[in-house]
Amino acid sequence: MILFKKIAASGKYHDDQAIYDVLTYITRKDKTPSGNVFYSHEAMPHIIDSMISISTHFGKYSKIRLHHFILTFRPNDAVFLPLVAQDICEYIGRIYQVVVAQHEDTPNPHLHVVFNAVSYINGYKYHGGKEDYYELIESMRSIIHRYISDYVVNVKYYPNPNNPHE
């Protein structure tokens, strides 16, 4: 089973520091020893400044500044994760700046996906409402199915403010 976890820690992800903290966390070398980190646009550290600039340019720097979810896979699926990560980057990166990092520090490999809440194209803010959420889940299922056909994607909303980086 592949687990989709939406990270929605109350009071988090509302300022420039959150962008820095989350992107720095998901790209740490001890979490990503193989170096499987994918960017839709600029690489670190420029993506942080760029995300902040996009939000400022469109005047959308209040409330949620970024979205974060985790896809957890079975150990034998790890070989496919770089392909899945690249496709996720391409899909979300059509509209939003995104970083996808493959973490290998747990028995089950997982992908952290973080994207700017503000579109670099038109300034539209992704609010993550019910319709957006289900569209995102279906898109992830479709991408995963390209490489891993024998899966079930289970969805879990994970609003734990004490441990947003499980």
Side-chain angles (χ1 to χ4, degrees):
M1 174 182 354
I2 297 168
L3 183 63
F4 177 104
K5 292 189 217 179
K6 169 76 172 127
I7 307 298
S10 179
K12 300 281 185 178
Y13 305 159
H14 289 128
D15 56 20
D16 293 349
Q17 188 64 44
I19 295 169
Y20 174 82
D21 290 345
V22 174
L23 291 180
T24 300
Y25 169 78
I26 71 164
T27 59
R28 283 181 18 196
K29 300 283 186 217
D30 62 320
K31 302 284 185 184
T32 60
S34 65
N36 288 333
V37 178
F38 304 89
Y39 303 91
S40 62
H41 297 85
E42 305 87 359
M44 293 288 281
H46 304 291
I47 189 83
I48 294 169
D49 293 334
S50 184
M51 283 186 173
I52 292 167
S53 294
I54 293 295
S55 299
T56 302
H57 173 74
F58 287 107
K60 307 249 176 115
Y61 40 79
S62 64
K63 300 192 179 180
I64 299 291
R65 300 291 300 282
L66 54 87
H67 293 276
H68 181 189
F69 64 90
I70 300 170
L71 290 164
T72 303
F73 296 81
R74 302 168 297 194
N76 60 332
D77 295 331
V79 66
F80 300 107
L81 295 195
L83 298 169
V84 171
Q86 286 176 331
D87 284 4
I88 290 171
C89 239
E90 288 175 19
Y91 173 75
I92 295 174
R94 296 173 302 133
I95 301 171
Y96 301 97
Q97 297 161 300
V98 61
V99 178
V100 182
Q102 179 180 341
H103 281 200
E104 305 160 71
D105 60 332
T106 63
N108 287 42
H110 52 283
L111 297 175
H112 282 262
V113 180
V114 176
F115 64 98
N116 194 347
V118 180
S119 167
Y120 65 89
I121 293 174
N122 58 15
Y124 171 76
K125 192 157 186 183
Y126 181 95
H127 292 286
K130 193 179 212 179
E131 186 176 312
D132 292 332
Y133 184 64
Y134 287 113
E135 181 182 330
L136 180 64
I137 291 167
E138 286 309 311
S139 299
M140 295 306 102
R141 283 183 174 137
S142 176
I143 289 169
I144 293 165
H145 187 65
R146 291 177 197 159
Y147 306 101
I148 308 166
S149 59
D150 65 331
Y151 72 92
V152 174
V153 176
N154 187 19
V155 178
K156 181 179 180 183
Y157 184 70
Y158 186 75
N160 183 348
N162 298 321
N163 187 9
H165 304 300
E166 183 178 273

